[in-house]
Amino acid sequence: MLEIFRAATKDFQAEITFVPNPKFQNHIWTTVLIGKNGSRKSFILRQILETAFGKTHFIYNKKEKIETQGVGWESPHHPQKIICISGTPLDRFPRSGYTPRTSSKRKTNRNFLYLGQRASNGMVGTAQSERSLITTLIENVEYLHLKKRLFEIAFKHLELSPKIKITLKPSKLVADAFSTVERVPIHNRYIANDSIEDLSKKLINNFKDLLEKEKPNAQIFKSMDKLAKLEHHGIFHLMSIFRDPKEASYLLFENAIIHKHGPNPEGWDTDVWILFLRAGFLDIDYTVFYRRGDSNETDTSSQPYEPSDILGEHLSSGQWSWLAGFVGLCAEIADDSLILIDEPENSLHPIWQQNYVPTLQAITSEFPGTQTIIATHSPLIASGINPENGNVLALKSILDRETNRTWLTATPVESTFGWAASDVYQEAFGVASDRAPSFTATADRALSLIRKNEPLSAVDASLITDDLTTKLESLPLHDPLRNVLKSIITQLQELTKARS
């Protein structure tokens, strides 16, 4: 577990103590980083990630030479799994993980996973979250049943059942090949068929190349053997299934198990269909989610979806952020994981922000040695950290103008566990008031006049008291500021009388 992190460049230096006591090494620990924009929270997360990969000297952004040290990560204590979760498309995490859809020319790392809004090609949107979520489930299909309880935790706060319908379609390459065959005259169709056979071989060979960079389990080899026994890897059977589909072909994630539904030629089990998806023969068409309590029976309907169901494209960005982050985490987490999270509060309702840390810790609590580091601006997230298994650190960048060198300090914040959000804003985030500045501007001006004890004209006093009275009446009856404003109005009236 990372106890102390140090980073230095030509004009920057930081030292952060994450775990105050080495006795927590095999426990579950969560650190929340807070600080103003520009305090380099995201930058620190990225440098921690690089150090977790085993790097101590590297060039960042093709220009900045960086030296780092992770105390507590001395061999053999490096994280066994690194998971980066992002609520913002502007995070600094690398996008490429280990999924088969990653180009075979890219470096892959089986122990790294990015769960965020931006794809490796730079595209941003909920479609990326959808693809990330489904791919993560598919990649871990053989282990999902071991984490059934965790999936229930992840779906609960969205009032959704832990069940997803994943409809399938030919991938773009395969669909284009099928279209070509349809356009070719029958007497020349053998030429087009040859091209489809070549495509099938190419997809399989590319997938085999990717497997060489992983440590595939026996189930994958078993599925590959099944696919090898199919004529031309079954690609012509796929063409007949999707040419004029009588019913939808889909995978159903339910009870932490994935099953295939729809047309299924003899000998094709769920593993074969998953392999088609992983190898690039198939792609995700759309997803369907189920409201909690609406999915007691297994869905075998031939209809695309029912009115009570929720299409994945109709989920909000906040719902997708929650699902892609937490469901992906459930599928991937292992003992001794490092979880780096950047601005998870984006698009999340305040109630979900309140539930973020409890949900996170309910998932991580079963995996000893797991460490989570969160960069956030949300007091609702910061106040969820129990000091028994985490801490809050305030980052501050200080520029030494003589040396033009920036020093990053990390000051432990007094435990805000259970505090009201307004108190966390003031004590931890340094926000003097959580009310709108325009709302308190008149009261601030009135207090300044009262402190100076200068008499007021009747016109000035009337303008100020009228404004304060209007704002007072807009406040809830239980708001203590009502009494404060009443007191200010009374004192202003006394100043006016003194002038007269």
Side-chain angles (χ1 to χ4, degrees):
M1 189 173 289
L2 180 62
E3 298 171 20
I4 302 172
F5 178 73
R6 300 185 179 100
T9 69
K10 181 178 65 175
D11 54 7
F12 172 82
Q13 186 163 331
E15 179 172 321
I16 304 173
T17 300
F18 285 99
V19 182
N21 194 322
K23 73 178 183 179
F24 296 116
Q25 185 65 245
N26 294 318
H27 288 58
I28 313 300
W29 193 260
T30 302
T31 297
V32 169
L33 301 178
I34 63 174
K36 295 181 179 178
N37 295 97
S39 57
R40 312 200 78 171
K41 299 184 296 297
S42 297
F43 174 81
I44 288 296
L45 289 182
R46 177 58 187 267
Q47 306 322 314
I48 291 173
L49 173 62
E50 298 292 344
T51 308
F53 285 148
K55 300 178 181 179
T56 55
H57 297 74
F58 52 93
I59 296 177
Y60 177 67
N61 249 358
K62 299 181 179 180
K63 58 184 179 181
E64 197 169 14
K65 294 182 179 180
I66 298 179
E67 295 183 14
T68 65
Q69 179 188 16
V71 177
W73 278 348
E74 294 80 3
S75 182
H77 298 296
H78 272 268
Q80 299 303 302
K81 177 83 70 172
I82 305 169
I83 302 171
C84 294
I85 301 175
S86 175
T88 168
L90 300 178
D91 63 78
R92 296 175 184 257
F93 299 133
R95 267 69 183 174
S96 56
Y98 63 84
T99 65
R101 295 187 180 86
T102 301
S103 167
S104 59
K105 295 180 181 179
R106 290 180 179 271
K107 279 188 173 182
T108 57
N109 187 330
R110 183 62 180 86
N111 294 326
F112 169 76
L113 178 69
Y114 170 78
L115 298 169
Q117 302 174 26
R118 187 182 293 272
S120 56
N121 63 3
M123 297 296 292
V124 177
T126 57
Q128 160 60 14
S129 296
E130 179 181 55
R131 177 178 291 266
S132 173
L133 169 61
I134 301 306
T135 299
T136 303
L137 291 175
I138 294 298
E139 291 297 322
N140 294 278
V141 63
E142 63 272 20
Y143 307 116
L144 300 181
H145 67 283
L146 301 175
K147 300 178 177 180
K148 179 180 177 181
R149 193 180 73 83
L150 300 185
F151 290 118
E152 292 173 350
I153 293 171
F155 278 87
K156 182 177 67 173
H157 287 295
L158 302 190
E159 297 183 359
L160 295 176
S161 176
K163 173 182 174 181
I164 311 173
K165 187 177 187 177
I166 309 160
T167 58
L168 304 173
K169 66 179 180 178
S171 65
K172 188 177 185 308
L173 278 175
V174 173
D176 289 346
F178 289 170
S179 297
T180 300
V181 171
E182 297 295 333
R183 292 194 302 268
V184 171
I186 293 178
H187 63 277
N188 287 331
R189 191 157 290 182
Y190 69 92
I191 299 175
N193 288 345
D194 288 344
S195 68
I196 289 182
E197 293 173 18
D198 291 340
L199 173 61
S200 175
K201 293 176 184 177
K202 179 182 178 181
L203 292 173
I204 289 297
N205 289 334
N206 286 347
F207 184 64
K208 287 180 178 177
D209 289 343
L210 286 169
L211 287 180
E212 290 178 1
K213 300 175 183 179
E214 301 181 19
K215 294 180 180 178
N217 55 45
Q219 189 64 41
I220 294 179
F221 286 117
K222 185 177 178 181
S223 300
M224 289 289 289
D225 288 340
K226 291 179 183 178
L227 203 58
K229 294 175 182 177
L230 301 176
E231 185 177 2
H232 306 303
H233 302 105
I235 195 167
F236 289 104
H237 281 297
L238 286 178
M239 185 167 66
S240 64
I241 290 171
F242 287 98
R243 178 187 290 149
D244 186 21
K246 296 180 181 178
E247 57 179 314
S249 288
Y250 64 92
L251 299 172
L252 189 67
F253 170 73
E254 185 178 24
N255 295 322
I257 299 173
I258 296 179
H259 290 296
K260 169 65 173 63
H261 291 266
N264 211 20
E266 186 178 352
W268 289 22
D269 56 16
T270 300
D271 292 337
V272 170
W273 284 93
I274 289 176
L275 191 56
F276 277 135
L277 186 59
R278 294 186 64 185
F281 288 79
L282 300 175
D283 208 341
I284 302 162
D285 190 6
Y286 61 87
T287 54
V288 178
F289 292 81
Y290 302 84
R291 292 180 176 86
R292 185 170 291 274
D294 290 347
S295 57
N296 293 328
E297 298 180 4
T298 300
D299 185 351
T300 57
S301 170
S302 61
Q303 298 299 318
Y305 58 93
E306 298 296 328
S308 61
D309 303 334
I310 306 173
L311 281 171
E313 64 186 51
H314 292 165
L315 294 178
S316 70
S317 59
Q319 287 172 308
W320 269 118
S321 179
W322 182 284
L323 284 170
F326 280 134
V327 177
L329 177 63
C330 291
E332 285 280 349
I333 190 171
D335 292 351
D336 299 313
S337 290
L338 171 66
I339 305 168
L340 304 175
I341 307 177
D342 197 9
E343 297 190 17
E345 67 272 16
N346 287 346
S347 299
L348 292 188
H349 186 278
I351 291 177
W352 292 3
Q353 292 181 39
Q354 279 185 319
N355 288 319
Y356 193 88
V357 169
T359 301
L360 174 70
Q361 294 186 330
I363 294 171
T364 60
S365 63
E366 299 186 14
F367 300 91
T370 293
Q371 182 175 19
T372 305
I373 302 173
I374 307 171
T376 184
H377 295 284
S378 170
L380 295 172
I381 289 177
S383 63
I385 300 299
N386 189 324
E388 294 181 359
N389 50 31
N391 55 359
V392 179
L393 301 178
L395 299 187
K396 185 177 181 180
S397 293
I398 302 174
L399 176 63
D400 185 336
R401 297 191 179 278
E402 292 185 3
T403 62
N404 203 33
R405 188 174 178 83
T406 298
W407 301 84
L408 184 68
T409 64
T411 305
V413 175
E414 179 184 357
S415 173
T416 56
F417 186 54
W419 285 24
S422 58
D423 294 329
V424 181
Y425 269 128
Q426 294 177 28
E427 299 299 326
F429 287 81
V431 179
S433 172
D434 57 354
R435 300 181 191 273
S438 58
F439 186 92
T440 58
T442 303
D444 291 339
R445 181 188 171 202
L447 286 172
S448 176
L449 293 171
I450 292 170
R451 281 194 294 269
K452 293 178 182 178
N453 197 28
E454 296 178 358
L456 272 178
S457 68
V459 174
D460 288 342
S462 177
L463 289 173
I464 295 174
T465 54
D466 286 349
D467 185 47
L468 291 178
T469 300
T470 300
K471 289 176 176 176
L472 184 154
E473 292 173 349
S474 71
L475 294 173
L477 293 175
H478 63 271
D479 194 325
L481 185 59
R482 293 175 66 93
N483 292 329
V484 174
L485 295 182
K486 287 179 181 177
S487 176
I488 292 174
I489 291 171
T490 300
Q491 293 184 61
L492 286 174
Q493 291 171 341
E494 290 176 356
L495 286 177
T496 307
K497 291 177 181 178
R499 182 181 181 98
S500 62

